[in-house]
Amino acid sequence: MLINLTKLSINQIQSALRKGELSSVDLVEAVFSNIEEYNPLINAYISYSYKNAIEDAEKAQAEISQGNYKGLLHGIPIGVKDLIHLKGTPTTTGSRIHLNFKPEYNAEIVDNLKRNGAIIIGKENMHSLAYGSTGDVSNFGPAKNPLNTDMITGGSSSGSAAAVASHMSFGSIGSDTGGSIRIPAAMCGVVGMKPTFGLVSRKGTVSLSSTLDTLGPITRTVEDNSILLDALINNRYKNNSVTTYSDVNIKKKIGIPQNFFFDLIDKEIHDTFLDTVNGLEKNGFEVIPIEIPHMEEFNAAHSVIFATEVYESMKEKLIDKPEKIEEEIRTRLLEGLFVQGHDYIRMNRVRDYAIETLHRVLKDVDVLLTPTVGSYPSKIGERFVKVNGKKVHIRGVYSKLVKLANLTGFPAMTIPIGKSKAGFANSIQIIGAPFQEKVLYNYASEVEQI
Amino acid sequence: MQTENVITKIQSLGINLEYINLNDLNFHLTELNKKIRLIDELEIAKEYVPKFTLTKSRDNNC
């Protein structure tokens, strides 16, 4: 009974909570039952507090019973990536270097979640300093993929995706600088949204790259994702709710890139992607082939901007206490030391051109569809994978298809589209125009139903 | 960049080289350099004046 509760969607739960058919305390009990059983295996959480969660649940239940209803997240247990400040709880960023940092205030999004009635149950494991796409470098050990615990979750929001996929939370908040929400969500088979840059406040979070970092929700369904994003959005952008995505007007035209996105991709991933596109076509969507010029250069610009900004963010810690930063991370951090100022400026010109290009490409279509990742998860600790027999470094394949949205700031999300023959998650990425998250959710909902 | 210059630059920060995997760093710097050189060949990077921006989103309050 308790385990089954955690398989309900947020909307299903809300209905039951308001009718008095279940209580928020039941939900917390059910989630913690799963945490007790699965977290030792999956390692999705760095810290959590049953005591605090139960206290919050009792309070939420009393409020709901009295008709003091705060919204769709009222009484729902949610986890946050451990770079998001929760007052009185350490923000470790998965690294030794931040072990003793205990913030005295909440991140703005934590306050937003609490204002909407959510119960924050814990801090989720992550790739150390959020600087990696695998999720297997953490001071607390790697998060493990719930679909196959020998394999990586993807990163850097590794624990956030794993917690949602293994029913240890109803939703999680991750961050995405170069795919760090979408990659683990894709590899764990859940829904992940990187909203438009700026839509969600980053106040009270550890910054990695000031012009690329974006926070966003990870959930099991598209509808749940929209509910969680709705609670996160900055008030000044809140003209209307993104949960009303089914009402949005769309052209029913999908752009499919013809270049770059399929150059280095597992054949089974490619075939599954094409099956999904065919399914949309059968449902009345028009598929339009699109060329996006200079994609190699756009990805290069992202890499150089990322390396420069993360070095700038972390250089003092790197210089003062290099021994407290995990070896792979500290070596990567140094890349930014060797980028010259004029190169950083040129990369930002390329970024501006990428924004213009993507606006142009999206003029005639609602969204672009691509696969999210080019390869299935590797074994924990491995740094090379084979894609159609070719050995490639993971950095060249896991984040290749997702960086464009970070470089330009455009919204992008990933949705699961079934399983591979070996039982890994397949996924599809939807990229849309700035502040058009409702259009993305509308398409994601269509894909979810195929 | 020459390996000696890389080492000199790291040491100038006061970082002990024993903390750095120079082979890995060399691999990643080679990849990074390829990306920078790729942009060398892109005319747009020299003189592009943006027409469209994400103005609303680029003034993030964070």
Side-chain angles (χ1 to χ4, degrees):
Chain A
M1 171 63 183
L2 289 179
I3 300 294
N4 287 340
L5 278 185
T6 65
K7 296 189 175 175
L8 298 174
S9 73
I10 291 174
N11 226 1
Q12 288 171 317
I13 288 167
Q14 279 309 327
S15 171
L17 280 175
R18 293 175 86 168
K19 287 178 190 162
E21 293 169 355
L22 62 87
S23 79
S24 181
V25 174
D26 294 337
L27 289 178
V28 168
E29 295 279 7
V31 164
F32 273 88
S33 171
N34 280 1
I35 290 176
E36 198 172 305
E37 185 173 356
Y38 302 132
N39 200 52
L41 184 67
I42 305 292
N43 201 22
Y45 282 97
I46 288 174
S47 62
Y48 47 82
S49 171
Y50 174 77
K51 180 176 167 287
N52 291 349
I54 282 290
E55 282 174 11
D56 289 348
E58 286 169 348
K59 192 177 161 203
Q61 193 51 46
E63 289 165 346
I64 293 168
S65 302
Q66 289 160 15
N68 181 14
Y69 187 63
K70 291 182 176 175
L72 290 171
L73 287 180
H74 204 169
I76 304 285
I78 300 293
V80 296
K81 186 176 183 176
D82 202 13
L83 51 62
I84 297 167
H85 296 344
L86 183 61
K87 186 179 175 182
T89 303
T91 301
T92 71
T93 65
S95 172
R96 282 196 295 276
I97 203 152
H98 288 136
L99 278 185
N100 300 317
F101 174 59
K102 200 180 272 190
E104 294 176 354
Y105 58 95
N106 285 333
E108 191 166 312
I109 58 154
V110 167
D111 283 337
N112 286 350
L113 288 169
K114 285 178 177 264
R115 199 174 301 118
N116 282 274
I119 296 170
I120 311 297
I121 50 175
K123 309 293 290 292
E124 289 154 343
N125 204 354
M126 55 183 284
H127 199 104
S128 177
L129 297 176
Y131 202 27
S133 59
T134 55
D136 58 359
V137 177
S138 165
N139 183 55
F140 304 92
K144 296 176 183 176
N145 195 316
L147 296 170
N148 182 334
T149 54
D150 291 332
M151 301 299 180
I152 61 165
T153 53
S156 64
S157 307
S158 49
S160 303
V164 172
S166 53
H167 301 268
M168 290 193 274
S169 78
F170 287 94
S172 296
I173 312 303
S175 68
D176 193 316
T177 307
S180 284
I181 287 172
R182 289 161 289 157
I183 296 167
M187 288 186 174
C188 293
V190 291
V191 179
M193 163 67 90
K194 182 208 83 71
T196 308
F197 183 90
L199 189 68
V200 175
S201 168
R202 299 179 304 183
K203 277 184 183 167
T205 63
V206 177
S207 172
L208 185 67
S209 172
S210 58
T211 71
L212 299 169
D213 292 345
T214 309
L215 300 174
I218 299 173
T219 56
R220 286 189 290 276
T221 70
V222 173
E223 185 182 40
D224 284 359
N225 205 280
S226 72
I227 292 169
L228 201 41
L229 178 60
D230 210 48
L232 298 180
I233 292 174
N234 277 343
N235 281 336
R236 63 185 170 139
Y237 293 130
K238 213 157 188 172
N239 297 326
N240 51 40
S241 168
V242 292
T243 59
T244 56
Y245 56 82
S246 55
D247 299 337
V248 73
N249 286 325
I250 55 171
K251 302 182 188 99
K252 295 197 88 171
K253 290 183 178 179
I254 304 164
I256 306 292
Q258 300 300 293
N259 60 316
F260 184 79
F261 286 87
F262 302 97
D263 297 347
L264 183 65
I265 186 167
D266 187 283
K267 186 178 180 305
E268 193 175 349
I269 291 175
H270 194 175
D271 289 347
T272 310
F273 171 81
L274 293 177
D275 287 346
T276 303
V277 172
N278 288 339
L280 287 168
E281 244 181 331
K282 280 180 192 160
N283 289 348
F285 289 83
E286 186 181 350
V287 173
I288 299 173
I290 297 277
E291 288 288 328
I292 309 178
H294 303 302
M295 273 303 305
E296 292 283 358
E297 288 87 346
F298 294 163
N299 265 12
H302 173 277
S303 298
V304 178
I305 290 169
F306 193 179
T308 311
E309 293 185 353
V310 73
Y311 173 74
E312 199 282 325
S313 293
M314 298 293 168
K315 69 180 177 202
E316 286 177 16
K317 292 183 175 67
L318 180 64
I319 292 166
D320 290 346
K321 293 174 183 169
E323 74 283 1
K324 291 199 170 182
I325 298 176
E326 291 70 17
E327 183 190 299
E328 183 176 283
I329 308 292
R330 83 171 84 102
T331 302
R332 277 194 69 193
L333 283 174
L334 276 173
E335 289 175 35
L337 173 64
F338 299 93
V339 177
Q340 301 201 35
H342 64 90
D343 285 327
Y344 179 76
I345 289 169
R346 289 193 306 142
M347 298 303 158
N348 275 294
R349 288 197 192 117
V350 175
R351 186 213 302 255
D352 287 337
Y353 182 58
I355 290 171
E356 181 190 331
T357 301
L358 208 43
H359 271 299
R360 192 170 58 239
V361 162
L362 285 165
K363 209 169 73 176
D364 299 322
V365 297
D366 296 311
V367 294
L368 299 177
L369 293 190
T370 78
T372 311
V373 287
S375 173
Y376 294 112
S378 59
K379 280 195 171 168
I380 288 169
E382 284 189 357
R383 288 296 174 264
F384 287 86
V385 287
K386 279 194 171 174
V387 180
N388 302 330
K390 185 181 174 187
K391 189 179 171 187
V392 290
H393 194 279
I394 50 163
R395 284 178 68 182
V397 67
Y398 287 153
S399 56
K400 176 175 175 170
L401 311 183
V402 290
K403 291 175 177 180
L404 179 65
N406 295 99
L407 179 73
T408 56
F410 284 40
M413 69 183 295
T414 184
I415 317 120
I417 49 169
K419 300 271 169 61
S420 73
K421 288 173 195 156
F424 296 119
N426 284 313
S427 59
I428 199 162
Q429 178 178 224
I430 306 175
I431 303 171
F435 304 102
Q436 297 300 311
E437 278 75 7
K438 281 168 82 167
V439 174
L440 273 69
Y441 282 133
N442 187 304
Y443 270 85
S445 175
E446 291 285 347
V447 171
E448 203 173 38
Q449 290 164 40
I450 289 177
Chain B
M1 187 178 270
Q2 298 284 327
T3 304
E4 306 84 64
N5 294 343
V6 169
I7 289 171
T8 304
K9 199 158 182 174
I10 294 170
Q11 286 177 323
S12 72
L13 292 173
I15 297 175
N16 190 329
L17 283 178
E18 76 179 65
Y19 293 122
I20 304 303
N21 183 331
L22 286 173
N23 281 339
D24 277 2
L25 180 61
N26 188 45
F27 170 78
H28 292 308
L29 285 180
T30 304
E31 292 298 309
L32 191 73
N33 202 40
K34 279 186 204 166
K35 288 166 183 164
I36 292 172
R37 299 288 75 86
L38 192 65
I39 302 299
D40 284 346
E41 294 163 23
L42 193 66
E43 281 300 311
I44 210 82
K46 295 175 191 161
E47 57 190 31
Y48 177 72
V49 178
K51 297 184 187 70
F52 299 91
T53 60
L54 268 172
T55 310
K56 252 177 106 179
S57 65
R58 286 283 167 211
D59 63 348
N60 198 19
N61 61 340
C62 42

